Amino acid sequence: MKPIQVGLLGIGTVGSGVFTVLRRNQEEIRRRAGRGIEISMVADLDMARARSVVGDGVQVVGDARQVIANPEIDVVIELIGGYGIAKQLVLEAIAAGKHVVTANKALLAVHGTEIFQAAADKGVIVAFEAAVAGGIPIIKALREGLTANQIQWVAGIINGTTNFILSEMRDKGLDFSVVLKEAQRLGYAEADPTFDIEGVDAAHKATIMSAMAFGIPVQFDKAYVEGITQLAAADIKYAEQLGYRIKLLGIAKRTNKGVELRVHPSLVPAKRLIANVEGAMNAVLVQGDAVGATLYYGKGAGSEPTASAVIADLVDITRLHTADPEHRVPPLAFQAHTLHDAATQLPVLPMSEVVTSYYLRLRVADQAGVLAQVTGILAGGGISIDAVLQREADEVGGEGSTQTDLIILTHDTREGDMNAALAQIQQLPTVLADITRIRKEELN
């Protein structure tokens, strides 16, 4: 059989990895796919650099639309990124009857509903294993491997930059701003790291996983997103003393009222495997009713790990592209008509309705009765306390300090009730600084 012909849009870090791995393992991949897979055309604005990667025998062009217009091309790989031209090109490729492979989580989290509908109407496949957690096959696990289960929750460390920063803060006792500069110097963080450190990148990925876990449309606009910029070294140290690690988690959870979709720093018990995922590594924990907890761990970014996922999608398309579209595995795991069916639809809950437990740190005046005032307000809001830790004055402000840190762990409570209680506590004259609040996830 003639090899499947592939056009590649963008040959940067991931694109060059795809080309290299496909060439290196071509015989193995052909045996698995049943026929050859060949990148015969590449589009990149830097045509000279593209030619240096692909060599002779591959057509290099500066205009991505030439790839889409080529009737010989069966599959288009989109590795440009972002919401702008990438969206246009993906929709044009679908309209031209091409299957699409993309690593673009931002595009799918925001415009996935439109893109998947267009693909369904045209009878083509949109595959996106590389869009979530790089080389970890989490999309295939949710879409196929765990299909017998009612997924109860998914919790993931799905951004390597923030995990590297948090690991360094814990290891070296340094504050966020210092470690961010180091992460940029080492190449773990971009020159503009906003999407990573503010949690947006993780929220894109959590949004895609929530759709696959619970059979709902992608709804990035309803995700709660909080990054790591406000975390202090003191909180990481106190968490450690209490038996926890702080991780930026992307969480999608099914409840009786609806779906929780949120990204924020979380205290995780240090004994959990996921709490021990360090550096730039990723991990996703999935809880299913039949299987229990399953953990997926590996490199969430990088040239060849991400290429591994892109090529797995190419192999899937090669196996399935001749199949009747009705009998292919749906891209979001659930049959398309059920994603918008009111009878099966779970709403995404506002953050005020989320129920979880909390770590609170209060800088307070070191005088009698302060703890009683604080616990009284919490009790009045129906919030019960799990543990209290008081740091001696000399650890906070030196000898003779009139301030102390009060650390409180709570039991599960509704976020709206916690917000109301914290607003009251913040007004106390004995509370001397903004209260630090970090959510706590037991993940059991």
Side-chain angles (χ1 to χ4, degrees), residues 344-425:
T344 59
Q345 198 54 262
L346 291 164
V348 175
L349 297 174
M351 196 62 196
S352 59
E353 290 301 316
V354 165
V355 174
T356 187
S357 52
Y358 297 86
Y359 159 101
L360 307 174
R361 176 168 62 85
L362 294 79
R363 178 65 53 88
V364 297
D366 189 11
Q367 61 191 58
V370 175
L371 180 59
Q373 283 180 305
V374 171
T375 55
I377 291 172
L378 291 173
I383 300 162
S384 65
I385 293 170
D386 180 28
V388 177
L389 185 67
Q390 189 161 343
R391 276 290 154 253
E392 294 304 322
D394 59 357
E395 277 195 42
V396 176
E399 200 65 41
S401 171
T402 58
Q403 303 178 6
T404 187
D405 269 350
L406 204 54
I407 294 102
I408 298 172
L409 298 184
T410 78
H411 289 296
D412 279 356
T413 190
R414 197 179 69 91
E415 176 110 357
D417 296 334
M418 177 57 75
N419 290 342
L422 289 182
Q424 275 186 271
I425 294 169

Side-chain angles (χ1 to χ4, degrees), residues 12-342:
T13 304
V14 176
S16 56
V18 170
F19 193 84
T20 304
V21 174
L22 195 54
R23 187 170 52 189
R24 185 173 74 226
N25 296 341
Q26 61 180 308
E27 187 53 34
E28 187 99 355
I29 291 163
R30 187 189 61 74
R31 286 173 57 209
R32 289 181 174 170
R35 64 191 285 194
I37 298 173
E38 208 171 79
I39 294 175
S40 53
M41 198 169 180
V42 170
D44 198 285
L45 293 174
D46 188 343
M47 291 170 65
R49 188 175 56 83
R51 280 199 188 91
S52 73
V53 174
V54 302
D56 299 330
V58 177
Q59 187 182 355
V60 175
V61 295
D63 180 3
R65 288 187 168 90
Q66 286 180 255
V67 177
I68 293 167
N70 184 343
E72 296 295 307
I73 296 293
D74 303 300
V75 185
V76 171
I77 304 176
E78 180 276 307
L79 297 174
I80 297 165
Y83 310 108
I85 187 66
K87 180 188 175 191
Q88 288 308 115
L89 294 172
V90 165
L91 289 171
E92 286 173 29
I94 291 167
K98 316 288 189 196
H99 303 294
V100 173
V101 176
T102 180
N104 193 336
K105 61 265 177 182
L107 178 64
L108 295 180
V110 177
H111 299 293
T113 303
E114 179 185 350
I115 288 164
F116 293 128
Q117 187 59 56
D121 293 344
K122 199 70 186 177
V124 299
I125 299 166
V126 174
F128 52 93
E129 183 64 71
V132 180
I136 304 171
I138 185 62
I139 297 300
K140 206 164 183 66
L142 287 168
R143 190 168 54 212
E144 296 168 48
L146 298 174
T147 197
N149 290 262
Q150 185 176 71
I151 304 295
Q152 292 161 337
W153 50 263
V154 179
I157 295 170
I158 43 181
N159 181 274
T161 301
T162 49
N163 201 51
F164 174 81
I165 290 170
L166 292 175
S167 296
E168 289 288 289
M169 287 174 72
R170 188 177 69 82
D171 284 348
K172 298 176 179 170
L174 298 170
D175 270 319
F176 169 79
S177 56
V178 179
V179 177
L180 172 61
K181 285 194 181 71
E182 178 69 359
Q184 286 171 315
R185 190 183 68 78
L186 294 170
Y188 285 110
E190 305 278 348
D192 178 3
T194 309
F195 261 38
D196 293 324
I197 62 176
E198 295 294 356
V200 178
D201 174 77
H204 286 145
K205 297 166 185 172
T207 296
I208 294 168
M209 291 196 294
S210 72
M212 304 192 75
F214 308 125
I216 59 175
V218 288
Q219 297 170 77
F220 174 71
D221 58 328
K222 295 190 181 155
Y224 173 83
V225 190
E226 182 184 314
I228 63 167
T229 56
Q230 301 306 310
L231 285 178
D235 295 309
I236 289 174
K237 184 183 75 178
Y238 290 148
E240 193 85 2
Q241 291 170 4
L242 291 159
Y244 292 87
R245 301 262 169 90
I246 297 179
K247 296 291 182 186
L248 183 75
L249 292 185
I251 297 168
K253 185 182 284 189
R254 181 197 301 264
T255 74
N256 292 334
K257 291 182 176 179
V259 170
E260 298 176 6
L261 176 55
R262 48 196 172 96
V263 169
H264 50 70
S266 303
L267 271 76
V268 180
K271 63 187 176 191
R272 301 266 179 267
L273 281 172
I274 198 167
N276 294 280
V277 172
E278 297 293 352
M281 300 302 277
N282 279 200
V284 182
L285 189 55
V286 183
Q287 179 81 18
D289 68 328
V291 75
T294 55
L295 181 69
Y296 307 83
Y297 168 85
K299 290 183 177 173
S303 179
E304 294 203 357
T306 310
S308 165
V310 170
I311 295 166
D313 280 341
L314 285 178
V315 171
D316 265 359
I317 288 172
T318 305
R319 290 167 174 163
L320 292 171
H321 81 114
T322 55
D324 172 358
E326 292 300 308
H327 295 111
R328 294 177 187 148
V329 182
L332 290 176
F334 290 78
Q335 294 298 338
H337 65 272
T338 68
L339 295 175
H340 301 277
D341 177 1

